[in-house]
Amino acid sequence: MKPIQVGLLGIGTVGSGTFNVLQRNQEEIRRRAGRGIQITMVADLDVARARAVVGEGVTVVGDAREVIANPDIDIVIELIGGYGIAKALVMEAISAGKHVVTANKALLAVHGTEIFAAASARGVIVAFEAAVAGGIPIIKALREGLSANHIEWIAGIINGTTNFILSEMRDKGLDFEVVLKEAQRLGYAEADPTFDIEGVDAAHKATIMSAIAFGIPVQFHKAYVEGITRLSATDIRYAEQLGYRIKLLGITKRAPRGIELRVHPSLVPAKRLLANVEGAMNAVVVHGDAVGTTLYYGKGAGSEPTASAVIADLVDVTRLHTADPHHRVPHLAFQPDALSDLPVLPMSEVVTSYYLRLRVADEAGVLAKVTGVLALNGISIDAVLQREADEVGGEGATSTDLIILTHDTREGTMDKVLAELQALPTVLSPIVRIRKEELR
Amino acid sequence: MKPIQVGLLGIGTVGSGTFNVLQRNQEEIRRRAGRGIQITMVADLDVARARAVVGEGVTVVGDAREVIANPDIDIVIELIGGYGIAKALVMEAISAGKHVVTANKALLAVHGTEIFAAASARGVIVAFEAAVAGGIPIIKALREGLSANHIEWIAGIINGTTNFILSEMRDKGLDFEVVLKEAQRLGYAEADPTFDIEGVDAAHKATIMSAIAFGIPVQFHKAYVEGITRLSATDIRYAEQLGYRIKLLGITKRAPRGIELRVHPSLVPAKRLLANVEGAMNAVVVHGDAVGTTLYYGKGAGSEPTASAVIADLVDVTRLHTADPHHRVPHLAFQPDALSDLPVLPMSEVVTSYYLRLRVADEAGVLAKVTGVLALNGISIDAVLQREADEVGGEGATSTDLIILTHDTREGTMDKVLAELQALPTVLSPIVRIRKEELR
């Protein structure tokens, strides 16, 4: 049987990795897939660079549309990224009856519904294992491996840049800005790191996982997104003393009235495996009603780890594109006509627990006043840590850090309480609030 | 479309869990699979117990062959266990053109080659996610998620009973026999725990993973199998002091001259996630050339976690049985006509590093003599720990523990060296040898 012919759009880091791994392991991949899988055509604006990667024997063009127009191409890999031309090309490839493999999380988190509908109508597969957590086969686990389960929640470290920064901040006791510069120097953070450090990249991935887990359309615009730029070494240290580590988590959870979808720094008990995921590594915890807690760990980015996921999708398409299109694995895990209309909850409706740090005047009655406000609003306290007072200012006035861990409460209630606490004359600086997840 | 009809053979712990989860989540599973999936017929020797589990509306019979003979049944689940009647029934179900889902690791590790060949010839699927690591979708990860990779090694905690025992031994400083009794009382170990504590169960699972990872036939009889019955609290403590934990690992590795396939206690660096998998939990680390190191963690046994895997297989068969049988996911990950003839290496050919504990006379020159024997045989030393001498016997003679960590060496060489060391008059007790895996 003739090999599956693949056209590659965009041959940067991941594209080169895909080409190289497919070539290096071609014999083994053919033995697995039952057919050879070959990249026979590559489109890149930089034709010379593309040619340098693929050598002779592969057609290299500057115009992606030539690849889509080629009737010999069975599968198109989109590795251009972004929402613009990438979207147009994916839609055109689908129209042309090509199966599509993409690593483009931004595209799918925002336009996935439209893209998957077009693919279903045309009877082609859009595969995207590489879009979430790089080489970790988490899409497959959620969509197929855990299909027996009523999924209850997912919490993941799904951005390597921020996890590297947080690991370094903890290890070395340094503040965010210092470590960011170091991460940029080492190539762990980009020159413009906004999408990573502000949580946008993690939110794209969380949005995709949420849709697959709960059978809802992708709704990136409803995700709550908070990055790590305001975290201080002080809070990382206090969290440690209380038995927690701070991680940037992508969380999606089934709540009584809808779905939580949020990205923010979170305290995680230090004894959880997830808390011990260090450096640029990724890990996703999935809790299902039958299976309980499962965890998936690996490299979430990089040339060959991401290529591993891209090629797994090529093998899947090769093995399974002949299955009845109405029953084979649906793009979002659930059949397109059986999605749920569960709403994504606004952040004020989210229920979680909190770490609060208040800089307070070191005088009698402060603790009673603060805890009184919490009690009046029905927020119960899990732990309190009060540091010894230290001198501030020149007047002999002293102040101290008061750290409070709360039990579960509604975010809307916490917002109101924080405003009240902030207004107390004995509260001297802006209150730090970090959410806490027990992940039981 | 009418629901997929499933016949269940054997409704014990896992069977009940499968029936219950399938019923509880039927609506969600139907939305995922695009068709209902119903257990319509159950066979169990204990008809009354079966009836009590499934209630009315399901046909209950005492003879499994009635299920296989029923033309309305699409998929047969085999949860009887063992090599005897289970094998006959699986083969008969295949002959009758039924797809089969089984959790029977012993059967597949020993007779898998014959069973998969029969299934391929008849064009049916034999699915077995539940056979390895319970609810963790590790078969799917290996066979599909990592299909781009040249797999280099797998190391897994794949027996919950022994991991529970080792965790308790470490936590409480107790010896094996004491903890085993406690585990039996708590239901973590069976009345006859042989298959678990002697490593046989883990070796069944390692055999299956090895076949899928490297594209070789299942060859349980070639696995090296060593359990945890001879481990002492002393060695767990020394390992801890050296920065290691002791775990029962199922290991399979690609070596220059063949495949290593072995189950035995292993020192693992305490900082590895795998070393921090506690209690009855399972975890499998897979290292591929493209993806690097990945890890999969969850419950490896129990009614509903195992049911999660059984039902995932039902959904897979429902979604994908219409795919071209010559290309859909092969039973052993590789096409049946493309298996490898790489040999499974005898244990003497395995290369690994070692922890050695020698009880030696506390006299000058002992360390020099012992390390001299190692050096002469080309074994280099990674670390030495010598405890202060303590009194033994009534003659005023003193002895001491000498712990040595070695670098990589061939097991055959180590066997010879241990015989030499054991013959030294200053070595007072049988030498303890535990293998060590860095898992980098």
Side-chain angles (χ1 to χ4, degrees):
Chain A
M1 201 164 192
K2 82 175 175 53
I4 285 272
Q5 300 205 21
V6 180
L8 174 58
L9 313 184
I11 189 156
T13 309
V14 176
S16 306
T18 301
F19 185 85
N20 293 334
V21 173
L22 204 48
Q23 195 153 67
R24 186 172 75 226
N25 294 345
Q26 60 178 320
E27 160 64 11
E28 220 165 318
I29 291 168
R30 192 191 52 70
R31 288 169 53 216
R32 288 196 175 100
R35 278 177 82 172
I37 299 176
Q38 292 178 353
I39 292 177
T40 54
M41 198 168 179
V42 172
D44 200 290
L45 292 179
D46 188 340
V47 173
R49 183 187 63 173
R51 174 62 67 202
V53 174
V54 303
E56 298 307 315
V58 174
T59 307
V60 175
V61 296
D63 179 2
R65 292 192 164 94
E66 281 189 55
V67 174
I68 294 170
N70 182 339
D72 292 334
I73 294 291
D74 303 298
I75 306 176
V76 171
I77 305 177
E78 182 275 304
L79 295 175
I80 295 168
Y83 315 95
I85 182 70
K87 185 187 172 200
L89 292 171
V90 164
M91 295 302 279
E92 286 171 34
I94 291 169
S95 287
K98 313 294 188 193
H99 301 291
V100 173
V101 172
T102 177
N104 193 334
K105 55 218 78 166
L107 177 63
L108 296 179
V110 176
H111 299 293
T113 304
E114 179 186 352
I115 290 167
F116 299 137
S120 296
R122 191 65 176 77
V124 297
I125 298 169
V126 174
F128 52 94
E129 184 62 79
V132 180
I136 307 172
I138 184 65
I139 298 298
K140 188 169 277 289
L142 282 170
R143 203 162 63 169
E144 304 172 39
L146 302 178
S147 57
N149 289 268
H150 188 71
I151 305 275
E152 288 161 357
W153 54 264
I154 298 174
I157 295 172
I158 44 181
N159 180 275
T161 302
T162 45
N163 202 54
F164 174 83
I165 292 173
L166 293 177
S167 296
E168 290 286 295
M169 286 174 70
R170 184 175 78 85
D171 270 9
K172 303 184 177 160
L174 297 172
D175 269 318
F176 172 77
E177 291 297 342
V178 181
V179 177
L180 173 62
K181 285 207 177 64
E182 176 74 358
Q184 285 173 315
R185 202 180 57 78
L186 293 170
Y188 284 110
E190 304 198 36
D192 178 359
T194 314
F195 260 39
D196 292 317
I197 64 177
E198 296 294 359
V200 178
D201 174 74
H204 286 144
K205 296 165 182 168
T207 298
I208 295 171
M209 290 197 290
S210 181
I212 291 175
F214 303 120
I216 58 174
V218 288
Q219 296 165 74
F220 173 68
H221 62 288
K222 294 197 181 154
Y224 174 82
V225 189
E226 179 185 320
I228 63 168
T229 54
R230 286 174 301 162
L231 278 183
S232 73
T234 307
D235 294 306
I236 291 175
R237 201 170 56 242
Y238 283 139
E240 192 92 11
Q241 289 169 17
L242 290 158
Y244 292 85
R245 300 220 175 131
I246 299 181
K247 295 291 184 184
L248 182 70
L249 296 186
I251 296 171
T252 185
K253 192 179 284 192
R254 194 187 291 270
R257 299 171 55 189
I259 302 296
E260 299 180 3
L261 174 55
R262 48 196 172 98
V263 170
H264 51 70
S266 304
L267 273 73
V268 178
K271 64 183 174 217
R272 299 273 182 274
L273 285 189
L274 193 64
N276 293 282
V277 171
E278 299 290 355
M281 300 302 283
N282 278 204
V284 179
V285 178
V286 184
H287 190 89
D289 69 336
V291 77
T293 296
T294 59
L295 177 145
Y296 310 83
Y297 165 91
K299 286 186 179 145
S303 174
E304 293 207 351
T306 310
S308 171
V310 168
I311 297 170
D313 278 346
L314 296 177
V315 173
D316 260 15
V317 171
T318 303
R319 284 170 165 171
L320 301 172
H321 71 279
T322 54
D324 166 12
H326 297 297
H327 291 100
R328 68 185 174 208
V329 186
H331 293 107
L332 288 179
F334 291 79
Q335 292 288 319
D337 61 358
L339 292 189
S340 155
D341 57 1
L342 278 174
V344 173
L345 297 172
M347 195 61 192
S348 61
E349 295 287 317
V350 162
V351 173
T352 185
S353 56
Y354 295 86
Y355 161 102
L356 305 176
R357 173 163 60 88
L358 298 84
R359 191 74 191 168
V360 293
D362 186 33
E363 52 185 57
V366 171
L367 183 60
K369 187 157 277 172
V370 168
T371 55
V373 171
L374 291 170
L376 268 177
N377 288 278
I379 298 175
S380 63
I381 292 173
D382 181 34
V384 171
L385 180 67
Q386 185 159 4
R387 308 310 298 173
E388 279 175 38
D390 48 25
E391 298 272 338
V392 290
E395 315 299 303
T398 59
S399 68
T400 184
D401 276 339
L402 173 62
I403 290 98
I404 298 174
L405 300 184
T406 77
H407 285 298
D408 276 355
T409 190
R410 221 174 45 87
E411 176 103 355
T413 308
M414 183 54 77
D415 289 341
K416 174 174 160 291
V417 165
L418 287 183
E420 257 181 75
L421 290 175
Q422 195 67 71
L424 293 177
T426 45
V427 173
L428 307 176
S429 310
I431 298 169
V432 173
R433 170 246 307 261
I434 308 175
R435 296 168 195 91
K436 175 166 85 65
E437 304 291 330
E438 291 294 327
L439 303 181
R440 260 192 285 263
Chain B
M1 202 165 193
K2 83 175 173 53
I4 285 272
Q5 300 205 21
V6 180
L8 174 58
L9 313 184
I11 188 156
T13 307
V14 176
S16 307
T18 301
F19 185 85
N20 292 334
V21 173
L22 204 48
Q23 195 153 67
R24 187 172 75 227
N25 294 346
Q26 61 179 319
E27 160 65 10
E28 219 165 319
I29 291 167
R30 191 191 52 70
R31 288 169 53 216
R32 287 195 176 101
R35 279 177 83 172
I37 298 176
Q38 292 178 353
I39 293 178
T40 55
M41 199 169 180
V42 172
D44 200 290
L45 292 179
D46 189 340
V47 172
R49 183 186 63 175
R51 172 63 66 202
V53 174
V54 302
E56 299 306 316
V58 174
T59 308
V60 175
V61 295
D63 179 3
R65 292 191 164 96
E66 282 189 52
V67 174
I68 294 170
N70 182 340
D72 292 335
I73 295 291
D74 303 298
I75 307 176
V76 170
I77 306 177
E78 183 275 304
L79 295 175
I80 295 169
Y83 315 95
I85 181 70
K87 185 187 172 200
L89 293 171
V90 164
M91 294 302 280
E92 286 172 34
I94 291 168
S95 287
K98 313 295 189 193
H99 301 291
V100 173
V101 173
T102 178
N104 193 334
K105 55 218 78 163
L107 178 63
L108 296 178
V110 175
H111 299 293
T113 304
E114 179 186 350
I115 290 168
F116 299 138
S120 296
R122 190 65 177 77
V124 298
I125 299 169
V126 174
F128 53 94
E129 183 63 78
V132 180
I136 308 172
I138 184 65
I139 298 296
K140 187 168 279 289
L142 282 170
R143 203 161 62 169
E144 304 172 40
L146 303 179
S147 57
N149 290 267
H150 188 71
I151 305 275
E152 287 161 357
W153 54 263
I154 298 175
I157 295 172
I158 44 181
N159 180 275
T161 303
T162 45
N163 202 54
F164 174 83
I165 291 173
L166 292 177
S167 296
E168 289 287 295
M169 286 174 71
R170 183 176 78 85
D171 269 8
K172 302 184 179 161
L174 297 172
D175 268 321
F176 173 76
E177 292 297 341
V178 182
V179 177
L180 173 61
K181 285 206 178 64
E182 176 74 358
Q184 286 173 315
R185 203 180 57 78
L186 293 170
Y188 284 111
E190 304 197 36
D192 177 359
T194 313
F195 260 40
D196 292 317
I197 63 178
E198 296 294 358
V200 177
D201 174 74
H204 286 145
K205 296 165 182 168
T207 298
I208 295 171
M209 291 197 290
S210 181
I212 291 175
F214 303 120
I216 58 173
V218 289
Q219 296 165 76
F220 173 69
H221 62 288
K222 294 198 182 154
Y224 173 81
V225 188
E226 179 185 320
I228 63 168
T229 55
R230 287 174 299 164
L231 278 182
S232 74
T234 307
D235 294 307
I236 291 175
R237 203 170 54 242
Y238 283 139
E240 192 92 11
Q241 289 169 17
L242 290 159
Y244 293 85
R245 302 223 173 128
I246 299 182
K247 295 290 185 186
L248 182 71
L249 296 186
I251 297 170
T252 186
K253 192 180 285 192
R254 195 188 290 270
R257 298 171 55 190
I259 301 296
E260 299 181 2
L261 173 56
R262 47 194 171 101
V263 170
H264 52 69
S266 303
L267 273 74
V268 178
K271 65 183 174 216
R272 300 273 182 272
L273 285 188
L274 193 65
N276 293 282
V277 171
E278 298 291 355
M281 301 302 284
N282 279 202
V284 180
V285 179
V286 183
H287 190 91
D289 68 336
V291 77
T293 297
T294 59
L295 176 144
Y296 309 83
Y297 165 90
K299 287 186 177 145
S303 175
E304 293 207 350
T306 310
S308 171
V310 169
I311 297 170
D313 278 346
L314 295 177
V315 173
D316 260 14
V317 171
T318 303
R319 285 170 166 171
L320 301 172
H321 70 278
T322 54
D324 167 11
H326 298 296
H327 291 100
R328 69 185 174 208
V329 186
H331 292 106
L332 289 179
F334 292 78
Q335 293 288 318
D337 60 358
L339 292 189
S340 155
D341 57 0
L342 277 173
V344 174
L345 297 173
M347 195 60 192
S348 61
E349 295 288 316
V350 161
V351 173
T352 184
S353 57
Y354 295 85
Y355 161 103
L356 305 176
R357 173 163 61 87
L358 299 84
R359 191 75 190 167
V360 293
D362 186 35
E363 53 185 58
V366 172
L367 182 59
K369 187 156 277 172
V370 168
T371 55
V373 171
L374 291 169
L376 267 176
N377 287 278
I379 299 175
S380 64
I381 293 174
D382 182 34
V384 171
L385 181 67
Q386 185 159 3
R387 309 309 298 173
E388 279 175 36
D390 47 24
E391 298 272 339
V392 289
E395 317 299 301
T398 59
S399 69
T400 183
D401 276 339
L402 174 61
I403 291 98
I404 297 174
L405 300 183
T406 77
H407 285 297
D408 275 355
T409 190
R410 221 174 46 88
E411 176 104 354
T413 307
M414 183 54 76
D415 289 341
K416 173 174 162 291
V417 166
L418 287 182
E420 258 182 75
L421 290 175
Q422 196 68 70
L424 293 176
T426 45
V427 172
L428 308 175
S429 310
I431 298 168
V432 173
R433 169 247 305 262
I434 308 175
R435 297 167 193 91
K436 176 166 85 66
E437 304 291 330
E438 291 295 326
L439 304 179
R440 262 192 285 262

